[in-house]
Amino acid sequence: MVSSPYESIVGRFFECKDDPPAPLSECPSWTNLNTGPIFDDRTGEWTCPLCHALVGRDNEEDEELFDDDEEAAFDNDEEYTAEGERIQDQTDEERIRVTRYRAIDAIVDTLGGINPKFSRYLSEQQYNIVDQLRVLEEAKETLFEAGTGRGVKPKLIALTIFISGISLSSQEMRLLGVRPSAVESRLKILRALSSNDSEQSPMTEKIYFVGKSIGLSKPILDIMVEQYEEIGLLPNIEPNWTVRAAAWIFLMAKESNIKGVTKTKLLSSVAQVKPSSLDRAVKSYKVNLQNRIKPVEGVLLSDDD
């Protein structure tokens, strides 16, 4: 294998971090085409001058144990805290939130002079953003689960982009040590949860499908869709959209005293809906609706099944 003048920085078996990867003969982090990797003496990190990807780190004896292609190598939900710095009476929820606020500080610090609009929004709205992220995490929404090695930064970035409408470039994401695909996959989940997209959302489509299967009229289903849209971003522990729609119809029919919409009827009319998954989805919607800071007008929930 041909050696590199930067082998001591990027390692003997370095692969270009650009997307798509460039041949090593054209990668400035391997071949002496320009200045080579750029060193940040504050963080000890070496980054590529072309794509801004992290290509090396000084004083990291265990760096070779991590795979740079894996999200968890950059950014895990857990953060090491020195023994003397630990707050003994801190609750689990407080520790989780501190980790997310520290991640926000790191993002703002890195992007402050590069994308000040995004950084300012994230800094000013950090408490609201973390609140919304915790709702998604507690609901175990796909790609937003907590404590499973899912990266904190991709979740925070995706949620900020979705709420603010302020975008980040692929280079800016790589500068943060985050893969653009990790952010985009979470943005797709957020868009699917929202009914504000120009195209019909998966939830809207499934509400009509399930509702028609059990004989509900279109005007009634229109109202149920409108109720869901008023709620906005509402996660659910159950990933299947058909089951979510069945749970929503069950709850809304019960609160509106619409007769004949029972769990038994939903289970017998829609093959994709199973008893355990329907129960999980109903419970999850109840919890998330009740945890909302602002109650939704006209949506009252009962504790009875």
Side-chain angles (χ1 to χ4, degrees):
M1 181 176 181
V2 179
S3 63
S4 161
Y6 312 116
E7 187 175 300
S8 62
I9 298 170
V10 301
R12 182 179 180 186
F13 303 104
F14 173 77
E15 293 182 359
C16 181
K17 302 296 187 294
D18 204 356
D19 187 13
L24 289 183
S25 61
E26 300 175 9
C27 179
S29 293
W30 180 260
T31 305
N32 196 9
L33 296 174
N34 199 337
T35 59
I38 299 173
F39 181 65
D40 186 333
D41 57 8
R42 294 178 303 119
T43 64
E45 295 176 343
W46 294 88
T47 57
C48 175
L50 181 63
C51 70
H52 304 293
L54 177 66
V55 295
R57 184 182 285 111
D58 277 6
N59 301 321
E60 284 250 355
E61 297 178 357
D62 296 330
E63 183 180 3
E64 63 185 28
L65 298 177
F66 295 96
D67 181 356
D68 283 343
D69 288 335
E70 291 297 324
E71 194 176 306
F74 291 112
D75 179 30
N76 289 330
D77 277 359
E78 302 301 325
E79 182 173 319
Y80 172 76
T81 304
E83 188 69 31
E85 297 177 2
R86 291 177 183 167
I87 302 174
Q88 298 301 322
D89 59 353
Q90 195 176 45
T91 66
D92 289 342
E93 179 62 23
E94 288 170 339
R95 282 193 289 271
I96 289 171
R97 286 177 176 266
V98 165
T99 299
R100 280 136 188 78
Y101 291 132
R102 286 178 178 171
I104 288 175
D105 288 342
I107 294 170
V108 170
D109 183 59
T110 300
L111 295 182
I114 299 172
N115 193 328
K117 188 176 181 181
F118 184 91
S119 299
R120 185 167 53 252
Y121 184 92
L122 177 56
S123 179
E124 292 174 352
Q125 299 295 323
Q126 59 180 300
Y127 299 109
N128 177 47
I129 289 169
V130 170
D131 282 345
Q132 294 201 42
L133 177 57
R134 292 300 296 136
V135 171
L136 291 161
E137 290 175 331
E138 287 295 306
K140 295 182 174 59
E141 187 59 61
T142 305
L143 297 183
F144 284 91
E145 306 95 323
T148 57
R150 303 284 189 189
V152 173
K153 283 184 181 178
K155 293 187 286 191
L156 287 168
I157 293 169
L159 194 54
T160 305
I161 291 173
F162 179 78
I163 296 171
S164 69
I166 304 170
S167 62
L168 287 184
S169 68
S170 295
Q171 288 187 345
E172 289 168 341
M173 293 183 201
R174 293 192 187 98
L175 192 61
L176 294 168
V178 172
R179 288 179 295 147
S181 60
V183 174
E184 182 56 35
S185 60
R186 288 163 175 81
L187 276 170
K188 288 180 180 178
I189 297 295
L190 294 172
R191 292 177 190 130
L193 283 171
S194 173
S195 57
N196 295 326
D197 293 340
S198 57
E199 297 180 2
Q200 190 179 64
S201 72
M203 184 65 170
T204 299
E205 179 184 339
K206 294 302 183 182
I207 287 175
Y208 284 114
F209 167 72
V210 174
K212 290 176 181 177
S213 298
I214 62 173
L216 293 179
S217 65
K218 187 177 184 301
I220 289 178
L221 294 174
D222 288 341
I223 293 173
M224 291 182 174
V225 168
E226 183 178 345
Q227 289 172 317
Y228 183 80
E229 290 175 350
E230 288 176 355
I231 291 294
L233 190 66
L234 187 67
N236 194 288
I237 194 172
E238 175 57 47
N240 186 288
W241 288 104
T242 303
V243 178
R244 290 185 181 192
W248 185 257
I249 288 172
F250 175 77
L251 285 172
M252 294 303 101
K254 187 172 183 180
E255 298 312 315
S256 300
N257 293 317
I258 299 173
K259 304 300 181 183
V261 181
T262 63
K263 289 184 178 180
T264 300
K265 188 168 186 178
L266 287 164
L267 294 170
S268 63
S269 302
V270 187
Q272 300 97 312
V273 179
K274 306 299 180 185
S276 58
S277 59
L278 180 58
D279 287 341
R280 282 195 304 270
V282 168
K283 182 178 179 180
S284 184
Y285 272 143
K286 284 185 177 182
V287 170
N288 288 321
L289 283 166
Q290 291 167 345
N291 286 342
R292 283 298 174 93
I293 297 175
K294 293 178 66 176
V296 177
E297 184 177 351
V299 180
L300 302 174
L301 296 177
S302 168
D303 290 330
D304 298 328
D305 285 331

Coordinates of all heavy atoms in Angstrom, one line a residue, residues 151-224:
G151 N -27.5 8.6 17.9 CA -26.8 9.8 18.1 C -27.7 10.9 18.6 O -28.8 11.1 18.1
V152 N -27.2 11.7 19.5 CA -27.9 12.9 20.0 C -27.9 14.0 18.9 O -28.9 14.6 18.6 CB -27.4 13.4 21.3 CG1 -28.0 14.7 21.7 CG2 -27.6 12.4 22.4
K153 N -26.7 14.3 18.4 CA -26.6 15.4 17.4 C -27.5 15.3 16.2 O -28.2 16.3 15.8 CB -25.2 15.6 17.0 CG -24.3 16.3 18.1 CD -22.9 16.5 17.5 CE -22.0 17.1 18.6 NZ -20.6 17.3 18.0
P154 N -27.6 14.1 15.5 CA -28.5 14.0 14.4 C -29.9 14.3 14.7 O -30.7 14.9 13.9 CB -28.3 12.6 13.9 CG -27.0 12.2 14.4 CD -26.8 12.9 15.7
K155 N -30.4 13.9 15.9 CA -31.7 14.1 16.3 C -32.0 15.6 16.6 O -33.0 16.2 16.1 CB -32.1 13.3 17.6 CG -32.1 11.8 17.4 CD -32.5 11.1 18.6 CE -31.5 11.0 19.7 NZ -31.9 10.1 20.8
L156 N -31.0 16.3 17.3 CA -31.2 17.7 17.5 C -31.1 18.5 16.2 O -31.9 19.5 16.1 CB -30.0 18.2 18.4 CG -30.1 17.7 19.9 CD1 -28.8 18.0 20.6 CD2 -31.3 18.4 20.6
I157 N -30.2 18.2 15.3 CA -30.1 18.9 14.1 C -31.4 18.7 13.2 O -31.9 19.7 12.7 CB -28.9 18.4 13.3 CG1 -27.6 18.8 14.1 CG2 -28.8 19.0 11.9 CD1 -26.3 18.2 13.5
A158 N -31.9 17.5 13.1 CA -33.1 17.3 12.3 C -34.3 18.0 12.9 O -35.0 18.6 12.1 CB -33.3 15.7 12.3
L159 N -34.4 18.0 14.2 CA -35.6 18.6 14.8 C -35.5 20.2 14.6 O -36.5 20.8 14.3 CB -35.6 18.3 16.3 CG -36.9 18.6 17.0 CD1 -38.1 18.0 16.3 CD2 -36.8 18.1 18.5
T160 N -34.3 20.7 14.7 CA -34.1 22.1 14.6 C -34.4 22.6 13.1 O -35.0 23.6 12.9 CB -32.7 22.6 15.0 OG1 -32.4 22.1 16.3 CG2 -32.5 24.1 14.9
I161 N -33.9 21.8 12.2 CA -34.1 22.1 10.8 C -35.6 22.0 10.5 O -36.2 22.9 9.8 CB -33.4 21.1 9.8 CG1 -31.9 21.3 9.9 CG2 -33.8 21.2 8.4 CD1 -31.0 20.3 9.2
F162 N -36.3 21.0 11.0 CA -37.7 20.8 10.8 C -38.5 21.9 11.3 O -39.5 22.5 10.7 CB -38.2 19.5 11.4 CG -39.6 19.2 11.2 CD1 -40.1 18.7 10.0 CD2 -40.5 19.4 12.2 CE1 -41.5 18.5 9.8 CE2 -41.9 19.1 12.1 CZ -42.3 18.7 10.9
I163 N -38.2 22.4 12.6 CA -39.0 23.4 13.2 C -38.7 24.8 12.6 O -39.6 25.6 12.4 CB -38.7 23.4 14.7 CG1 -39.2 22.1 15.4 CG2 -39.4 24.6 15.4 CD1 -38.8 21.9 16.8
S164 N -37.4 25.1 12.4 CA -37.0 26.4 12.0 C -37.1 26.6 10.5 O -37.3 27.8 10.0 CB -35.6 26.7 12.5 OG -34.7 25.9 11.7
G165 N -37.0 25.6 9.7 CA -36.9 25.7 8.2 C -35.5 26.2 7.8 O -35.3 26.5 6.6
I166 N -34.5 26.3 8.7 CA -33.2 26.7 8.4 C -32.3 25.4 8.1 O -32.3 24.5 8.9 CB -32.5 27.5 9.5 CG1 -33.4 28.7 9.9 CG2 -31.1 27.9 9.2 CD1 -33.0 29.3 11.2
S167 N -31.7 25.4 6.9 CA -31.0 24.2 6.5 C -29.6 24.2 6.9 O -29.0 25.3 7.1 CB -31.2 23.9 5.0 OG -30.6 25.0 4.3
L168 N -28.9 23.1 6.9 CA -27.5 22.9 7.0 C -27.0 22.2 5.8 O -27.6 21.3 5.2 CB -27.1 22.1 8.2 CG -27.3 22.7 9.6 CD1 -26.7 21.8 10.7 CD2 -26.5 24.1 9.7
S169 N -25.8 22.6 5.3 CA -25.2 22.0 4.2 C -24.5 20.7 4.6 O -24.3 20.4 5.8 CB -24.1 22.9 3.5 OG -23.0 23.0 4.4
S170 N -24.3 19.8 3.7 CA -23.6 18.5 4.0 C -22.2 18.8 4.6 O -21.8 18.1 5.6 CB -23.4 17.7 2.7 OG -24.7 17.3 2.2
Q171 N -21.5 19.8 4.2 CA -20.2 20.1 4.8 C -20.3 20.5 6.2 O -19.5 20.2 7.0 CB -19.5 21.2 3.9 CG -19.0 20.7 2.6 CD -18.2 21.7 1.8 OE1 -18.2 22.9 2.2 NE2 -17.5 21.2 0.8
E172 N -21.4 21.3 6.5 CA -21.6 21.8 7.9 C -21.9 20.6 8.8 O -21.4 20.6 9.9 CB -22.7 22.8 7.9 CG -22.3 24.2 7.3 CD -23.4 25.1 7.1 OE1 -24.6 24.6 7.0 OE2 -23.2 26.3 6.9
M173 N -22.7 19.7 8.3 CA -23.0 18.5 9.1 C -21.8 17.6 9.4 O -21.5 17.2 10.5 CB -24.1 17.6 8.4 CG -25.4 18.3 8.3 SD -26.7 17.2 7.6 CE -27.9 18.4 7.0
R174 N -20.9 17.5 8.3 CA -19.7 16.7 8.5 C -18.8 17.4 9.5 O -18.0 16.8 10.2 CB -19.0 16.5 7.2 CG -19.8 15.6 6.2 CD -19.0 15.2 5.0 NE -19.7 14.5 4.0 CZ -20.3 15.0 2.9 NH1 -20.1 16.3 2.7 NH2 -21.0 14.3 2.1
L175 N -18.8 18.7 9.4 CA -17.9 19.5 10.4 C -18.3 19.2 11.8 O -17.5 19.3 12.7 CB -18.1 21.0 10.1 CG -17.1 21.9 10.7 CD1 -15.7 21.6 10.3 CD2 -17.4 23.4 10.4
L176 N -19.6 18.9 12.0 CA -20.1 18.5 13.3 C -19.9 17.0 13.7 O -20.3 16.6 14.7 CB -21.6 18.8 13.4 CG -22.0 20.3 13.3 CD1 -23.5 20.5 13.1 CD2 -21.6 21.0 14.6
G177 N -19.3 16.3 12.7 CA -19.1 14.9 12.9 C -20.4 14.1 12.7 O -20.5 13.0 13.3
V178 N -21.3 14.6 11.9 CA -22.6 13.9 11.7 C -22.8 13.6 10.2 O -22.5 14.5 9.3 CB -23.8 14.8 12.2 CG1 -25.1 14.2 11.8 CG2 -23.7 15.0 13.7
R179 N -23.2 12.4 9.9 CA -23.5 12.1 8.5 C -24.8 12.7 8.0 O -25.8 12.6 8.7 CB -23.6 10.6 8.3 CG -22.3 9.8 8.4 CD -22.5 8.3 8.3 NE -23.2 7.8 9.4 CZ -24.1 6.8 9.3 NH1 -24.3 6.2 8.1 NH2 -24.7 6.3 10.3
P180 N -24.8 13.4 6.8 CA -26.0 13.9 6.3 C -27.2 13.0 6.2 O -28.3 13.3 6.4 CB -25.6 14.4 4.9 CG -24.1 14.7 5.0 CD -23.6 13.7 6.0
S181 N -26.9 11.7 5.9 CA -27.9 10.7 5.7 C -28.6 10.4 7.1 O -29.8 10.1 7.1 CB -27.4 9.4 5.2 OG -26.3 8.9 6.0
A182 N -27.8 10.6 8.2 CA -28.4 10.3 9.5 C -29.4 11.4 9.8 O -30.4 11.2 10.5 CB -27.3 10.3 10.6
V183 N -29.2 12.7 9.4 CA -30.1 13.8 9.6 C -31.3 13.6 8.7 O -32.5 13.8 9.1 CB -29.4 15.1 9.4 CG1 -30.4 16.3 9.5 CG2 -28.3 15.3 10.4
E184 N -31.1 13.3 7.4 CA -32.2 13.2 6.4 C -33.2 12.1 6.8 O -34.4 12.3 6.6 CB -31.6 13.0 5.0 CG -32.7 12.9 3.9 CD -33.5 14.2 3.9 OE1 -33.0 15.3 4.1 OE2 -34.7 14.1 3.6
S185 N -32.7 11.0 7.3 CA -33.6 9.9 7.7 C -34.5 10.3 8.8 O -35.7 9.9 8.8 CB -32.8 8.7 8.1 OG -31.9 8.9 9.2
R186 N -34.0 11.1 9.7 CA -34.8 11.6 10.8 C -35.8 12.7 10.4 O -36.9 12.8 10.9 CB -33.9 12.1 12.0 CG -33.3 11.0 12.7 CD -32.1 11.4 13.5 NE -31.6 10.3 14.3 CZ -30.7 9.4 13.9 NH1 -30.3 9.4 12.6 NH2 -30.3 8.4 14.6
L187 N -35.3 13.5 9.4 CA -36.2 14.5 8.8 C -37.4 13.9 8.2 O -38.6 14.4 8.2 CB -35.5 15.4 7.8 CG -34.7 16.6 8.4 CD1 -33.8 17.2 7.4 CD2 -35.6 17.6 9.0
K188 N -37.2 12.7 7.5 CA -38.3 12.0 6.8 C -39.3 11.6 7.9 O -40.5 11.6 7.6 CB -37.8 10.8 6.1 CG -37.0 11.2 4.8 CD -36.5 10.0 4.1 CE -35.7 10.4 2.8 NZ -35.2 9.2 2.1
I189 N -38.9 11.1 9.0 CA -39.8 10.7 10.1 C -40.6 11.9 10.6 O -41.8 11.8 10.8 CB -39.0 10.1 11.3 CG1 -38.3 8.8 10.8 CG2 -39.9 9.8 12.4 CD1 -39.2 7.7 10.4
L190 N -39.9 13.0 10.8 CA -40.6 14.2 11.3 C -41.7 14.7 10.2 O -42.8 15.1 10.6 CB -39.6 15.3 11.6 CG -38.7 15.0 12.7 CD1 -37.6 16.1 12.8 CD2 -39.4 14.9 14.0
R191 N -41.3 14.6 9.0 CA -42.3 15.1 7.9 C -43.5 14.1 7.9 O -44.6 14.5 7.6 CB -41.5 15.1 6.6 CG -40.5 16.2 6.5 CD -39.8 16.1 5.1 NE -38.6 17.0 5.1 CZ -37.4 16.6 4.7 NH1 -37.2 15.4 4.3 NH2 -36.4 17.5 4.7
A192 N -43.2 12.8 8.1 CA -44.3 11.9 8.1 C -45.2 12.1 9.2 O -46.4 11.9 9.1 CB -43.7 10.4 8.1
L193 N -44.7 12.5 10.4 CA -45.5 12.7 11.6 C -46.3 14.0 11.4 O -47.4 14.1 12.0 CB -44.6 12.9 12.8 CG -44.0 11.6 13.4 CD1 -43.0 11.9 14.5 CD2 -45.1 10.7 14.0
S194 N -45.8 14.9 10.6 CA -46.6 16.2 10.4 C -47.5 16.0 9.3 O -47.3 15.4 8.3 CB -45.6 17.3 10.2 OG -46.3 18.5 9.8
S195 N -48.7 16.7 9.4 CA -49.6 16.7 8.3 C -49.6 18.0 7.5 O -50.5 18.3 6.8 CB -51.1 16.5 8.9 OG -51.3 17.5 9.8
N196 N -48.5 18.7 7.7 CA -48.4 20.0 7.0 C -47.7 19.9 5.7 O -47.5 20.9 5.0 CB -47.6 21.0 7.9 CG -48.3 21.3 9.2 OD1 -49.6 21.4 9.2 ND2 -47.6 21.5 10.2
D197 N -47.3 18.7 5.3 CA -46.7 18.5 4.0 C -47.7 18.7 2.9 O -48.9 18.5 3.1 CB -46.1 17.1 3.8 CG -44.9 16.9 4.8 OD1 -44.4 17.9 5.2 OD2 -44.6 15.7 5.1
S198 N -47.3 19.1 1.7 CA -48.2 19.3 0.6 C -48.8 18.0 0.1 O -50.0 18.0 -0.3 CB -47.4 19.9 -0.6 OG -46.3 19.1 -1.0
E199 N -48.1 16.9 0.3 CA -48.7 15.6 -0.1 C -49.4 15.1 1.1 O -49.1 15.4 2.3 CB -47.6 14.7 -0.5 CG -46.9 15.1 -1.8 CD -45.8 14.1 -2.2 OE1 -45.7 13.1 -1.5 OE2 -45.1 14.4 -3.2
Q200 N -50.4 14.2 0.9 CA -51.1 13.6 2.0 C -50.2 12.8 2.9 O -49.4 12.0 2.4 CB -52.2 12.7 1.4 CG -53.2 12.2 2.5 CD -54.3 11.3 1.8 OE1 -54.0 10.3 1.3 NE2 -55.5 11.8 1.9
S201 N -50.3 13.0 4.2 CA -49.4 12.3 5.1 C -49.8 10.8 5.2 O -50.9 10.4 5.0 CB -49.4 12.9 6.4 OG -50.6 12.7 7.1
P202 N -48.8 9.9 5.6 CA -49.2 8.5 5.8 C -50.3 8.3 6.8 O -51.2 7.5 6.6 CB -47.9 7.9 6.4 CG -46.8 8.8 5.9 CD -47.4 10.2 5.8
M203 N -50.4 9.2 7.9 CA -51.4 9.1 8.9 C -52.8 9.4 8.3 O -53.8 8.7 8.5 CB -51.1 10.0 10.0 CG -52.1 9.8 11.2 SD -52.0 8.2 12.0 CE -53.0 8.5 13.4
T204 N -52.8 10.5 7.5 CA -54.1 10.9 6.9 C -54.6 9.8 6.0 O -55.8 9.4 6.0 CB -53.9 12.2 6.1 OG1 -53.5 13.2 6.9 CG2 -55.2 12.6 5.4
E205 N -53.7 9.2 5.2 CA -54.1 8.1 4.3 C -54.7 6.9 5.0 O -55.7 6.4 4.6 CB -52.9 7.7 3.4 CG -53.1 6.6 2.5 CD -51.9 6.2 1.8 OE1 -50.9 7.0 1.7 OE2 -51.8 5.0 1.3
K206 N -54.0 6.6 6.1 CA -54.4 5.4 6.9 C -55.7 5.7 7.7 O -56.5 4.7 7.9 CB -53.3 5.0 7.8 CG -52.1 4.5 7.1 CD -52.4 3.3 6.2 CE -51.1 2.8 5.5 NZ -51.4 1.6 4.6
I207 N -56.0 6.9 8.1 CA -57.2 7.2 8.8 C -58.4 6.9 7.9 O -59.4 6.3 8.3 CB -57.2 8.6 9.3 CG1 -56.3 8.8 10.5 CG2 -58.7 9.1 9.7 CD1 -56.1 10.2 11.0
Y208 N -58.3 7.4 6.6 CA -59.4 7.1 5.7 C -59.5 5.7 5.4 O -60.6 5.1 5.3 CB -59.1 7.9 4.4 CG -59.4 9.4 4.5 CD1 -58.4 10.4 4.4 CD2 -60.7 9.9 4.7 CE1 -58.7 11.7 4.6 CE2 -61.0 11.2 4.9 CZ -60.0 12.1 4.8 OH -60.3 13.5 4.9
F209 N -58.4 5.0 5.2 CA -58.4 3.5 4.9 C -59.1 2.7 6.0 O -60.0 2.0 5.8 CB -57.0 3.0 4.7 CG -56.8 1.5 4.7 CD1 -57.3 0.8 3.6 CD2 -56.3 0.8 5.8 CE1 -57.2 -0.6 3.6 CE2 -56.2 -0.5 5.8 CZ -56.6 -1.3 4.7
V210 N -58.6 3.0 7.3 CA -59.2 2.2 8.4 C -60.6 2.6 8.6 O -61.5 1.8 8.9 CB -58.3 2.5 9.7 CG1 -59.0 1.8 10.9 CG2 -56.9 1.9 9.5
G211 N -60.9 3.9 8.5 CA -62.3 4.4 8.8 C -63.3 3.8 7.8 O -64.4 3.4 8.2
K212 N -62.9 3.8 6.5 CA -63.8 3.2 5.5 C -64.0 1.7 5.8 O -65.0 1.1 5.5 CB -63.2 3.5 4.1 CG -63.3 4.9 3.7 CD -62.7 5.2 2.4 CE -62.7 6.7 2.0 NZ -62.0 6.9 0.7
S213 N -62.9 1.0 6.3 CA -63.0 -0.4 6.5 C -64.0 -0.7 7.6 O -64.6 -1.8 7.6 CB -61.6 -0.9 6.9 OG -60.7 -0.7 5.9
I214 N -64.2 0.2 8.5 CA -65.2 -0.1 9.6 C -66.5 0.7 9.3 O -67.4 0.7 10.2 CB -64.6 0.2 11.0 CG1 -64.3 1.7 11.1 CG2 -63.4 -0.6 11.3 CD1 -63.9 2.2 12.5
G215 N -66.7 1.3 8.2 CA -68.0 1.9 7.8 C -68.2 3.3 8.2 O -69.4 3.7 8.2
L216 N -67.2 4.0 8.6 CA -67.4 5.4 8.9 C -67.5 6.3 7.7 O -66.9 6.1 6.7 CB -66.2 6.0 9.8 CG -66.0 5.4 11.2 CD1 -64.8 5.9 11.9 CD2 -67.3 5.6 12.0
S217 N -68.3 7.3 7.8 CA -68.6 8.2 6.6 C -67.4 9.2 6.4 O -66.6 9.5 7.4 CB -69.9 9.0 6.8 OG -69.7 9.9 7.9
K218 N -67.3 9.7 5.2 CA -66.2 10.7 4.9 C -66.3 11.9 5.8 O -65.2 12.4 6.3 CB -66.2 11.1 3.5 CG -65.0 11.9 3.1 CD -65.0 12.2 1.6 CE -63.8 13.0 1.2 NZ -63.6 14.2 1.9
P219 N -67.5 12.5 6.0 CA -67.5 13.7 6.9 C -66.9 13.5 8.3 O -66.2 14.3 8.9 CB -69.0 14.1 7.0 CG -69.5 13.5 5.7 CD -68.8 12.3 5.4
I220 N -67.2 12.3 8.9 CA -66.7 11.9 10.2 C -65.2 11.8 10.1 O -64.4 12.3 11.0 CB -67.3 10.7 10.7 CG1 -68.8 10.9 11.1 CG2 -66.6 10.1 11.9 CD1 -69.5 9.7 11.6
L221 N -64.7 11.1 9.0 CA -63.3 10.9 8.9 C -62.5 12.2 8.6 O -61.4 12.5 9.1 CB -63.0 9.9 7.8 CG -63.5 8.5 8.0 CD1 -63.3 7.6 6.8 CD2 -62.7 7.9 9.2
D222 N -63.2 13.1 7.9 CA -62.6 14.5 7.7 C -62.4 15.2 9.0 O -61.3 15.8 9.2 CB -63.5 15.3 6.8 CG -63.6 14.9 5.4 OD1 -62.7 14.2 5.0 OD2 -64.5 15.3 4.7
I223 N -63.3 15.0 9.9 CA -63.2 15.7 11.3 C -62.0 15.0 12.0 O -61.2 15.7 12.7 CB -64.5 15.5 12.0 CG1 -65.6 16.4 11.4 CG2 -64.3 16.0 13.5 CD1 -67.0 16.2 12.0
M224 N -61.9 13.7 12.0 CA -60.8 13.0 12.7 C -59.5 13.4 12.1 O -58.5 13.5 12.9 CB -61.0 11.5 12.6 CG -62.2 11.0 13.4 SD -62.4 9.2 13.3 CE -63.7 8.9 14.5

